[in-house]
Amino acid sequence: MEELSADEIRRRRLARLAGGQTSQPNTPLTSPQRESPPGPPVAASAPGPSQSLGLNVHNMTPATSPIGASGVAHRSQSSEGVSSLSSSPSNSLETQSQSLSRSQSMDIDGVSCEKSMSQVDVDSGIENMEVDENDRREKRSLSDKEPSSGSEVSEEQALQLVCKIFRVSWKDRDRDVIFLSSLSAQFKQNPKEVFSDFKDLIGQILMEVLMMSTQTRDENPFASLTATSQPIAAAARSPDRNLMLNTSSNPGTSPMFCSVGSFGASSLSSFGASGGASTWDSYSDHFTIETCKETDMLNYLIECFDRVGIEEKKAPKMCSQPAVSQLLSNIRSQCISHTALVLQGSLTQPRSLQQPSFLVPYMLCRNLPYGFIQELVRTTHQDEEVFKQIFIPILQGLALAAKECSLDSDYFKYPLMALGELCETKFGKTHPVCNLVAALPLWLPKSLSPGSGRELQRLSYLGAFFSFSVFAEDDAKVVEKYFSGPAITLENTRVVSQSLQHYLELGRQELFKILHSILLNGETREAALGYMAAVVNANMKKAQMQTDDRLVSTDGLMLNFLWVLQQLSTKIKLETVDPTYIFHPRCRITLPGDETRVNATMEDVNDWLTELYGDQSPFSEPKFPTECFFLTLHAHHLSILPGCRRYIRRLRAIRELNRTVEDLKNNESQWKDSPLAARHREMLKRCKTQLKKLVRCKACADAGLLDESFLRRCLNFYGLLIQLLLRILDPAYPDVTLPLSSDVPKVFAALPEFYVEDVAEFLFFIVQYSPQVLYEPCTQDIVMFLVVMLCNQNYIRNPYLVAKLVEVMFMTNPAVQPRTQKFFEMIENHPLSTKLLVPSLMKFYTDVEHTGATSEFYDKFTIRYHISTIFKSLWQNIAHHGTFMEEFNSGKQFVRYINMLINDTTFLLDESLESLKRIHEVQEEMKNKEQWDQLPRPMAE
């Protein structure tokens, strides 16, 4: 064959393409004779075998490529076969059955690669044309070139790429493209002056398409398109346009990652297919896409943005060329810019900040293309007004979605994930969304009533995100979903608790991302610390024994808040914490004026502070580690401990109700025929109903409180607190020597009493309900603290606080709790306890005779019983046995101890004899049956 020039080859190729419709047989697009070409494998589950990211090659009749060596494969979707280049650039479009999102493709093995090698370029995925040998040789030489070899894409090929991504044509009309009549007229009139560069052309295309979409519904330009990718929710094609959450997405892959599919413009603008997700019905009101022109525009722009990524994956060599890369970058940028215009209502009706954002449902469904939101933030954040107009409605929409979600399903996490990814978006050192969130009027609203804690939860912006809870009093849906069965078994409760704890962990991790991003951003760090301090200060009443729950935040919010603060405190080094922060003039925490101190009155504290201040304050500027540590400490005081007390009260109420029900059942034969029978039956019914309710509430609380990982975090933090206290007591820590100095350090004496009391109370709780948590690395410090405090009782003014420490030791005694034997052995074998623990307990045994309380006479018996039980165990230990003997022979406390022991024994013996006398009298009266039956009987309650 005569060698042809390049111009002749191009002329013949165009002529052949012009006659493509008549020269090619009609091959249906759904022909089974297709195979997928090789492409970059992406791990994802394809919705069906008919969907593929790669090209479709007709083995019997290969389709001709109108792009040639451009590296962009496409084919006609016309039912008449393959269209010519001159007829329409829509040849680059793919049908819905041949398309996947950029996150889905099919792996092709080596055999299929070899089969399609003659028709498909393995590297670039270019579909070869059926031309003569010279054409094939030229095409192969172009497609085989590496980007570094200097190969460039022609203007014609670039135009075809643009048309493919935007699905437009200015030549002929086709059912799968949008015909641009204005551009078509310009090209016919003067094609060389239509656009100055590709950026100009892209802008003209997008503007014409979007302006066309503002016409009547009958002239909707997207109506002629078939979906090129799976819509947001294939199962949500019902007329109500509800979006389905993409639950298969992996939140760890990328922000706003689209793992099911990108948005099919036409498929979203005209939901006509049948089908739906029944599991989504109850949540459809939370994630609903509005039927309007703006939605059609957004669907189109989002899909165009996504197709850029698809093209980059399909033809990486071609797209790596600088010209093509710049072109694709311009397409992305223009899509984002026009998205901003749509969201502002610039192309339709101007929108106010109070109107919901069209973008929120897409974010909640997590089906936006990779980088879409980040690019939108980058493009708009420099214009403050535009940025507010776009993102304030988005933030408000996410908060509203968070309020409406519940832990009865895992959909609650999607608003959290969306906000977390927005807050993590940064450019340089600035987080634009964090700045916007902290500037919201409801970031930290002023208190308007005594219920500042509940106000902060209901009104503050982050309050909606922190409010998810497993507690029955916070969210009744959790009880109805998980504990509404006829019987709640231990096994069922354990399985459900693990599931709920997993949900809590996911949500709290997202909360941590949000707050951590706001703290990392220098411009909003102060606002974040102010919010954290406000949550603590507004909920001070939660520490009271009797609290009005309507005035404070819920237990669920406080525990979520605590979890986040614990994560922020994990990397704090104790050396960087200032122990005097609570007395700092700029301390963010406001202590009540009547707060009890460890070993000082308020007058003593004020005098000490006046002495410290003098002419010049010794306090340095508080640093973040110090502030975070003390905020976390007070959050423990206001969250985990009130929750523990509520849990214990609920258990006590359940035991009492059980006892009442059993008594009524056992005595039914006595009252069933009495006049009070109806009353007793009503009481029995009411008790059973209340008991069932309390059991369900307890099952929810088990999931919220008895989470071992969470309790371990609490214990480890209290370990840090104990280290700080020991450093104050003896700067030589960990080499502490006993006894301590007789002068109590002023800093320690002025600390709030609950710093010590909370440690004892928390230990008491976990020893009873989760003893396996005790064995953490911080246990050694806890043991040392107990020994030091018990051996230096003069450091604590309140004898009942010392009694709590004694009770902790009593509860860990193997005779009481066998599972804590190791912990008790650590106490009794501690080097500091062998010499001073026994004498100190003997001293407290005698000192507790007078505590200053009105109930001291009765309290002392319980405390002394605890000490006597401890003594029985210590007597068995050889190290302490010698201490006992020394104290018996020459100790200062032994004589008083024996004196009190004899006094108590005498009193209890008298009480016992008196009771025996009364028992004998009753027995004598019962011998006279007639007289006994005539005696009035107490009314059964």
Side-chain angles (χ1 to χ4, degrees):
M1 180 182 290
E2 182 183 5
E3 191 69 25
L4 300 177
S5 65
D7 291 339
E8 181 65 19
I9 292 173
R10 187 175 299 106
R11 185 186 61 78
R12 291 188 179 187
R13 179 185 303 155
L14 292 177
R16 187 177 294 105
L17 290 173
Q21 287 185 341
T22 58
S23 61
Q24 296 290 346
N26 292 340
T27 306
L29 291 178
T30 57
S31 169
Q33 313 238 357
R34 297 180 303 181
E35 63 180 33
S36 299
V42 179
S45 57
S50 63
Q51 296 182 343
S52 163
L53 181 60
L55 311 175
N56 287 330
V57 180
H58 299 276
N59 292 336
M60 298 180 63
T61 310
T64 58
S65 172
I67 286 187
S70 68
V72 181
H74 48 71
R75 64 182 174 280
S76 170
Q77 293 190 358
S78 171
S79 60
E80 299 175 359
V82 181
S83 311
S84 67
L85 174 65
S86 59
S87 64
S88 170
S90 67
N91 302 333
S92 62
L93 303 179
E94 302 177 20
T95 61
Q96 184 176 12
S97 64
Q98 298 161 329
S99 166
L100 273 181
S101 72
R102 53 189 171 73
S103 65
Q104 294 172 324
S105 79
M106 301 180 66
D107 296 340
I108 307 299
D109 56 19
V111 176
S112 62
C113 291
E114 293 175 1
K115 288 182 179 180
S116 59
M117 188 64 72
S118 62
Q119 296 169 331
V120 181
D121 186 300
V122 176
D123 291 329
S124 62
I126 302 172
E127 190 173 83
N128 292 281
M129 299 181 298
E130 193 68 22
V131 295
D132 60 25
E133 187 63 28
N134 289 326
D135 290 342
R136 190 177 291 115
R137 186 185 308 117
E138 179 188 0
K139 182 177 179 69
R140 186 163 52 245
S141 65
L142 288 173
S143 62
D144 289 344
K145 287 181 180 180
E146 294 290 336
S148 59
S149 64
S151 63
E152 295 183 358
V153 176
S154 67
E155 181 177 306
E156 178 186 352
Q157 295 167 343
L159 284 174
Q160 293 169 357
L161 178 59
V162 171
C163 292
K164 174 181 180 179
I165 290 176
F166 288 114
R167 304 182 69 181
V168 296
S169 171
W170 50 79
K171 296 187 178 181
D172 287 333
R173 299 179 185 273
D174 190 87
R175 71 183 180 91
D176 282 332
V177 295
I178 300 172
F179 181 73
L180 306 178
S181 56
S182 177
L183 271 179
S184 177
Q186 295 180 45
F187 271 106
K188 289 180 180 178
Q189 184 177 3
N190 193 346
K192 294 186 179 180
E193 297 183 1
V194 174
F195 60 94
S196 58
D197 53 24
F198 279 102
K199 186 176 181 180
D200 178 28
L201 176 63
I202 294 167
Q204 292 187 53
I205 292 173
L206 283 176
M207 188 54 66
E208 182 170 352
V209 171
L210 297 180
M211 293 310 296
M212 288 170 62
S213 69
T214 60
Q215 306 301 319
T216 62
R217 194 69 183 176
D218 295 337
E219 300 178 12
N220 181 11
F222 308 123
S224 63
L225 301 180
T226 57
T228 61
S229 57
Q230 187 175 347
I232 296 177
R237 296 175 182 171
S238 55
D240 62 358
R241 300 171 73 90
N242 293 328
L243 295 180
M244 182 68 171
L245 275 176
N246 174 11
T247 56
S248 63
S249 64
N250 182 2
T253 53
S254 64
M256 303 304 171
F257 186 70
C258 174
S259 69
V260 169
S262 59
F263 303 94
S266 61
S267 62
L268 284 176
S269 55
S270 57
F271 286 102
S274 61
S278 59
T279 57
W280 179 248
D281 293 341
S282 58
Y283 307 101
S284 60
D285 56 334
H286 297 163
F287 309 96
T288 303
I289 186 170
E290 186 177 346
T291 306
C292 58
K293 302 289 186 181
E294 289 90 341
T295 297
D296 294 333
M297 297 181 192
L298 283 178
N299 293 336
Y300 175 74
L301 291 169
I302 292 169
E303 185 174 327
C304 291
F305 186 96
D306 194 37
R307 271 197 294 270
V308 175
I310 295 175
E311 293 303 321
E312 289 176 338
K313 287 193 174 184
K314 286 167 58 178
K317 286 190 176 182
M318 181 201 71
C319 294
S320 64
Q321 298 180 32
V324 179
S325 176
Q326 182 62 39
L327 174 64
L328 297 178
S329 177
N330 285 335
I331 293 175
R332 279 197 175 101
S333 178
Q334 293 272 18
C335 288
I336 293 297
S337 299
H338 286 77
T339 298
L341 292 176
V342 173
L343 294 175
Q344 295 175 78
S346 302
L347 304 180
T348 51
Q349 294 292 330
R351 299 183 64 80
S352 67
L353 296 180
Q354 284 70 38
Q355 290 179 280
S357 174
F358 295 110
L359 206 58
V360 169
Y362 299 88
M363 298 172 66
L364 294 176
C365 292
R366 300 190 58 76
N367 268 325
L368 287 179
Y370 176 83
F372 185 88
I373 282 292
Q374 287 71 19
E375 187 67 16
L376 183 61
V377 174
R378 186 193 66 80
T379 303
T380 59
H381 82 276
Q382 294 180 346
D383 190 328
E384 184 177 352
E385 291 304 318
V386 172
F387 188 67
K388 287 183 178 179
Q389 193 168 2
I390 292 175
F391 281 94
I392 285 181
I394 289 177
L395 294 176
Q396 292 173 344
L398 293 178
L400 181 61
K403 287 180 180 179
E404 295 177 350
C405 288
S406 170
L407 271 177
D408 61 339
S409 75
D410 65 346
Y411 295 116
F412 80 97
K413 68 184 178 183
Y414 291 99
L416 296 169
M417 296 168 73
L419 180 61
E421 288 158 359
L422 282 175
C423 290
E424 284 184 321
T425 303
K426 68 175 182 177
F427 303 99
K429 295 183 178 180
T430 301
H431 295 70
V433 178
C434 292
N435 292 338
L436 186 60
V437 169
L440 291 174
L442 291 180
W443 165 256
L444 189 56
K446 292 183 179 179
S447 178
L448 304 175
S449 70
S452 55
R454 186 56 60 96
E455 277 186 13
L456 198 63
Q457 176 172 352
R458 298 297 186 189
L459 300 180
S460 70
Y461 181 75
L462 288 184
F465 297 91
F466 274 91
S467 294
F468 62 90
S469 172
V470 297
F471 293 101
E473 51 270 24
D474 300 342
D475 188 355
K477 294 180 181 178
V478 176
V479 185
E480 296 171 2
K481 172 69 178 292
Y482 295 104
F483 302 107
S484 59
I488 300 178
T489 64
L490 183 62
E491 183 63 22
N492 291 342
T493 303
R494 186 182 63 83
V495 173
V496 172
S497 294
Q498 290 177 352
S499 175
L500 290 173
Q501 288 164 7
H502 175 68
Y503 283 173
L504 284 173
E505 192 81 7
L506 290 178
R508 289 165 175 174
Q509 287 173 357
E510 297 302 324
L511 288 176
F512 170 74
K513 290 180 183 178
I514 295 170
L515 195 56
H516 186 248
S517 298
I518 299 175
L519 284 168
L520 279 181
N521 187 36
E523 300 173 47
T524 57
R525 183 175 298 119
E526 186 67 21
L529 286 169
Y531 182 81
M532 293 158 61
V535 174
V536 170
N537 292 327
N539 288 283
M540 283 295 182
K541 293 181 180 179
K542 283 189 73 70
Q544 298 174 352
M545 293 301 296
Q546 298 293 332
T547 305
D548 188 348
D549 291 335
R550 297 171 297 178
L551 304 181
V552 294
S553 300
T554 61
D555 288 345
L557 180 140
M558 294 305 296
L559 289 176
N560 295 336
F561 180 69
L562 172 61
W563 193 96
V564 173
L565 291 187
Q566 286 175 344
Q567 293 298 108
L568 292 173
S569 303
T570 51
K571 295 184 179 180
I572 290 180
K573 295 181 179 179
L574 211 56
E575 295 79 8
T576 62
V577 176
D578 180 8
T580 63
Y581 171 74
I582 199 66
F583 314 112
H584 199 289
R586 296 186 61 182
C587 176
R588 298 179 188 272
I589 302 170
T590 304
L591 285 175
D594 57 349
E595 186 67 53
T596 308
R597 307 300 170 128
V598 174
N599 200 353
T601 63
M602 285 306 302
E603 291 77 11
D604 296 335
V605 174
N606 293 331
D607 293 343
W608 174 63
L609 292 179
T610 303
E611 179 185 345
L612 271 183
Y613 288 150
D615 297 331
Q616 185 177 2
S617 173
F619 298 103
S620 59
E621 189 71 16
K623 303 299 182 182
F624 175 76
T626 297
E627 293 189 295
C628 185
F629 179 86
F630 278 91
L631 285 170
T632 308
L633 172 58
H634 283 255
H636 280 80
H637 180 59
L638 302 173
S639 56
I640 184 66
L641 292 171
C644 292
R645 287 192 287 268
R646 186 192 297 270
Y647 185 84
I648 294 172
R649 287 197 301 268
R650 183 176 286 122
L651 289 181
R652 188 180 299 118
I654 290 175
R655 285 196 298 268
E656 291 175 355
L657 279 173
N658 269 321
R659 189 181 303 114
T660 302
V661 170
E662 290 299 322
D663 290 344
L664 287 172
K665 286 182 177 180
N666 294 335
N667 298 325
E668 185 177 3
S669 58
Q670 300 178 14
W671 54 258
K672 65 179 180 180
D673 297 325
S674 68
L676 299 176
R679 176 189 172 192
H680 283 76
R681 290 191 182 93
E682 180 62 27
M683 180 183 294
L684 182 61
K685 180 181 177 182
R686 190 165 60 248
C687 288
K688 286 183 177 180
T689 302
Q690 182 68 11
L691 181 61
K692 185 177 181 181
K693 180 180 177 181
L694 285 178
V695 168
R696 290 178 176 177
C697 292
K698 182 217 176 255
C700 292
D702 286 344
L705 278 178
L706 302 185
D707 182 355
E708 288 188 19
S709 61
F710 182 54
L711 292 177
R712 284 192 172 92
R713 291 191 185 96
C714 295
L715 186 65
N716 285 320
F717 182 83
Y718 278 125
L720 281 178
L721 171 63
I722 285 171
Q723 290 183 34
L724 183 67
L725 296 178
L726 289 174
R727 287 173 186 268
I728 297 174
L729 294 172
D730 190 345
Y733 171 85
D735 299 324
V736 179
T737 56
L738 293 183
L740 298 176
S741 172
S742 57
D743 296 330
V744 182
K746 295 290 183 66
V747 176
F748 181 80
L751 289 176
E753 187 180 84
F754 69 79
Y755 283 15
V756 178
E757 185 178 12
D758 286 358
V759 176
E761 194 170 341
F762 181 73
L763 288 174
F764 184 75
F765 180 80
I766 62 174
V767 165
Q768 284 185 294
Y769 303 105
S770 190
Q772 66 274 13
V773 173
L774 265 180
Y775 304 110
E776 288 290 303
C778 63
T779 305
Q780 287 289 347
D781 292 319
I782 295 173
V783 168
M784 179 183 292
F785 181 73
L786 286 174
V787 172
V788 169
M789 287 294 96
L790 289 176
C791 294
N792 295 270
Q793 300 159 21
N794 60 307
Y795 273 55
I796 299 176
R797 187 177 57 162
N798 183 1
Y800 287 98
L801 181 53
V802 180
K804 277 196 173 183
L805 299 178
V806 172
E807 188 176 9
V808 170
M809 192 172 176
F810 164 78
M811 290 300 299
T812 60
N813 193 303
V816 180
Q817 175 60 277
R819 299 174 64 184
T820 58
Q821 179 175 354
K822 181 180 176 182
F823 183 83
F824 187 83
E825 290 175 353
M826 292 173 65
I827 296 177
E828 64 180 1
N829 294 326
H830 195 278
L832 297 177
S833 70
T834 53
K835 294 295 182 183
L836 295 176
L837 183 58
V838 169
S840 298
L841 289 176
M842 285 186 179
K843 181 178 185 301
F844 187 62
Y845 190 100
T846 58
D847 291 344
V848 81
E849 180 77 18
H850 303 287
T851 61
T854 56
S855 59
E856 64 181 15
F857 179 79
Y858 302 98
D859 295 338
K860 68 178 181 182
F861 291 107
T862 301
I863 298 171
R864 288 174 175 173
Y865 169 71
H866 293 162
I867 295 175
S868 63
T869 303
I870 294 172
F871 280 165
K872 288 179 182 179
S873 296
L874 294 180
W875 179 257
Q876 306 300 324
N877 189 295
I878 298 178
H880 290 277
H881 193 275
T883 308
F884 273 108
M885 298 306 298
E886 292 178 7
E887 191 66 27
F888 295 163
N889 293 326
S890 59
K892 298 179 181 179
Q893 307 299 330
F894 181 67
V895 175
R896 294 186 62 204
Y897 165 69
I898 290 297
N899 185 27
M900 296 298 177
L901 183 62
I902 293 174
N903 287 342
D904 289 348
T905 304
T906 303
F907 171 79
L908 294 174
L909 182 60
D910 289 342
E911 289 290 308
S912 301
L913 293 175
E914 186 66 28
S915 299
L916 288 174
K917 179 182 176 183
R918 178 59 187 157
I919 292 172
H920 177 71
E921 292 175 354
V922 172
Q923 288 176 340
E924 291 296 325
E925 291 177 356
M926 291 177 66
K927 289 181 179 179
N928 189 342
K929 188 171 180 15
E930 293 181 359
Q931 184 178 355
W932 177 258
D933 292 339
Q934 293 177 0
L935 292 176
R937 298 184 181 278
M939 182 179 297
E941 293 294 337

